[in-house]
Amino acid sequence: MTEQHLPPSHALAPPQPAPARAYILLIEDHPMMAEAIGFRLGGWLPGLQLRKAYSWAEARALLQNTSTPPEFIVTDLQLPDSPPEQTLRSLREWQAQVPVLALTMLTDQATQELCARHQALYLCKSAAFSQLLQSLQKWLGADFWQKWRAQAPLQHNPLHDLTTRQLDTLRELANGRSNREIADRLCVSEDTVRSHMKSLFVRLAVKNRTQASKFYLQHIEGLHPPGA
């Protein structure tokens, strides 16, 4: 019988752990807002994983337990457990070199100056998603964008041009809810809902609620990341 000679144990290379997948960290306490932003980020940059935190405590735990820093961070500034100054200061202490986008409903000069002081890009949540896309492309740079985006040209989706509130209203409409129900779910008045509906009909070139719902259902898949 032929004797088999095995290499010494130190000559066997230990198994290498799979490299951690590059990711975006989204910190947003409003689930519907987190869903909408996540859809777009996933569609625009499908090469990056999206990780969500719904409070500063969740974000801190994620950063503590992950050795790889995120490629960039998108954060709300009105988190339930962290005021704006603390959020930005803490992010800078934890991830000094990671780009931070502050996406907020706060529009005062002090908030914008706070973002500038902590080297965070400021963008108001009421902006259309097309503006968010343009801001991200300019902020992150062409090399970053080309690295992580889809190889195929990015096709324009008309829903990207809607504000967050308009998209929320359209989503609720497509789910068969009345103006009163939409107002209750979005915590706005019925007059505000009617105003959003009027703007939506003009922007989407539709004549009624049925056509608006159909338009949403025809285009919503373009907002989801591949495989979602």
Side-chain angles (χ1 to χ4, degrees):
M1 180 180 294
T2 304
E3 183 180 358
Q4 293 184 340
H5 295 279
L6 296 177
S9 59
H10 65 269
L12 298 175
Q16 297 296 316
R21 184 177 173 188
Y23 68 98
I24 305 164
L25 175 58
L26 172 61
I27 312 172
E28 169 60 61
D29 65 305
H30 193 294
M32 190 176 293
M33 179 68 71
E35 178 190 15
I37 298 171
F39 282 161
R40 280 147 190 81
L41 292 176
W44 296 334
L45 296 167
L48 292 171
Q49 184 183 44
L50 180 69
R51 301 185 185 180
K52 298 177 185 176
Y54 295 97
S55 66
W56 170 245
E58 285 188 24
R60 182 177 56 196
L62 190 152
L63 292 171
Q64 284 178 327
N65 296 320
T66 306
S67 58
T68 304
E71 293 296 320
F72 67 93
I73 298 170
V74 180
T75 185
D76 185 15
L77 292 184
Q78 295 175 290
L79 299 171
D81 57 348
S82 179
E85 173 79 37
Q86 178 180 323
T87 299
L88 292 178
R89 185 177 64 250
S90 298
L91 285 174
R92 278 291 159 245
E93 291 173 354
W94 279 78
Q95 303 289 341
Q97 304 304 318
V98 176
V100 175
L101 165 62
L103 193 59
T104 177
M105 288 302 295
L106 299 173
T107 59
D108 56 282
Q109 187 66 28
T111 298
Q112 297 181 45
E113 291 174 355
L114 174 66
C115 292
R117 192 160 61 248
H118 290 281
Q119 298 180 321
L121 177 68
Y122 168 88
L123 189 64
C124 184
K125 282 184 179 178
S126 62
F129 280 105
S130 57
Q131 185 177 343
L132 172 59
L133 174 59
Q134 292 169 3
S135 298
L136 284 173
Q137 288 175 324
K138 182 177 180 180
W139 178 52
L140 297 172
D143 290 343
F144 180 97
W145 201 260
Q146 189 62 34
K147 178 180 179 181
W148 296 114
R149 64 168 291 177
Q151 294 301 313
L154 184 67
Q155 295 184 348
H156 179 69
N157 188 322
L159 297 185
H160 288 153
D161 295 330
L162 303 181
T163 67
T164 300
R165 278 306 188 188
Q166 287 174 336
L167 185 62
D168 290 344
T169 301
L170 184 58
R171 181 185 295 110
E172 297 298 333
L173 172 64
N175 286 331
R177 295 189 172 92
S178 66
N179 282 2
R180 169 61 65 84
E181 291 172 327
I182 295 173
D184 289 343
R185 287 178 62 85
L186 301 184
C187 300
V188 297
S189 69
E190 284 191 73
D191 286 341
T192 298
V193 173
R194 281 191 286 269
S195 176
H196 285 324
M197 290 292 183
K198 183 177 180 180
S199 298
L200 283 169
F201 287 2
V202 172
R203 190 176 284 256
L204 303 180
V206 298
K207 296 181 179 180
N208 53 50
R209 298 168 72 94
T210 300
Q211 290 182 2
S213 297
K214 184 178 180 180
F215 187 99
Y216 175 83
L217 295 174
Q218 288 175 338
H219 291 83
I220 186 58
E221 289 302 319
L223 297 181
H224 287 268

